[in-house]
Amino acid sequence: MVKIKASKLRDVELITDTGIRLGWVYDLSFDEETGEILVIVAEPDEDLDVSQFVTDQEGLLLIPISAVKSVGEVIIIDSNKLAVKSKLKRLPSVATATRERRLGGGLQRKD
């Protein structure tokens, strides 16, 4: 297993396997009890119509970790596993608790 520090993921671009630019990693949300990463919280690309995607109350994309195909210079997301409103009603307790369950108190933005 390759280990990657969460801080290295900040601002990494997210692209679907069909070539759609989703946005950039903003943070991670995890289950406090198990430590399992649930979703990647992402700042959406300015050209992305977010109305079809699952978002939090601040408009950030919630991408299930199960949709990640590969991590490298970019993160490739399996478009068939991507959480879209037509497939999901809601992600279990993530949308309401994203801010409280940040990995390490939130990733620091590189400006």
Side-chain angles (χ1 to χ4, degrees):
M1 171 183 6
V2 176
K3 293 183 180 181
I4 300 172
K5 291 184 177 187
S7 60
K8 297 287 184 188
L9 295 176
R10 178 66 175 175
D11 293 327
V12 171
E13 189 172 22
L14 298 150
I15 301 175
T16 68
D17 54 0
T18 58
I20 297 170
R21 179 181 292 160
L22 297 172
W24 294 265
V25 175
Y26 178 77
D27 215 336
L28 302 173
S29 184
F30 63 96
D31 184 305
E32 289 178 327
E33 293 177 18
T34 67
E36 178 185 12
I37 297 172
L38 300 173
V39 297
I40 295 174
V41 181
E43 291 183 46
D45 184 82
E46 62 185 30
D47 295 329
L48 185 69
D49 177 8
V50 296
S51 66
Q52 63 182 326
F53 297 97
V54 176
T55 58
D56 68 5
Q57 62 275 13
E58 296 175 18
L60 298 170
L61 299 176
L62 301 177
I63 300 170
I65 200 68
S66 61
V68 175
K69 287 182 84 170
S70 67
V71 177
E73 294 294 315
V74 298
I75 297 175
I76 304 298
I77 303 298
D78 185 335
S79 58
N80 292 320
K81 295 181 180 179
L82 186 60
V84 293
K85 289 182 181 177
S86 62
K87 289 196 263 184
L88 285 181
K89 293 297 178 197
R90 68 190 265 285
L91 293 174
S93 73
V94 174
T96 58
T98 300
R99 283 284 179 242
E100 289 74 32
R101 296 181 181 184
R102 291 288 164 87
L103 181 62
L107 304 175
Q108 299 299 311
R109 183 174 185 92
K110 297 178 205 168
D111 288 329

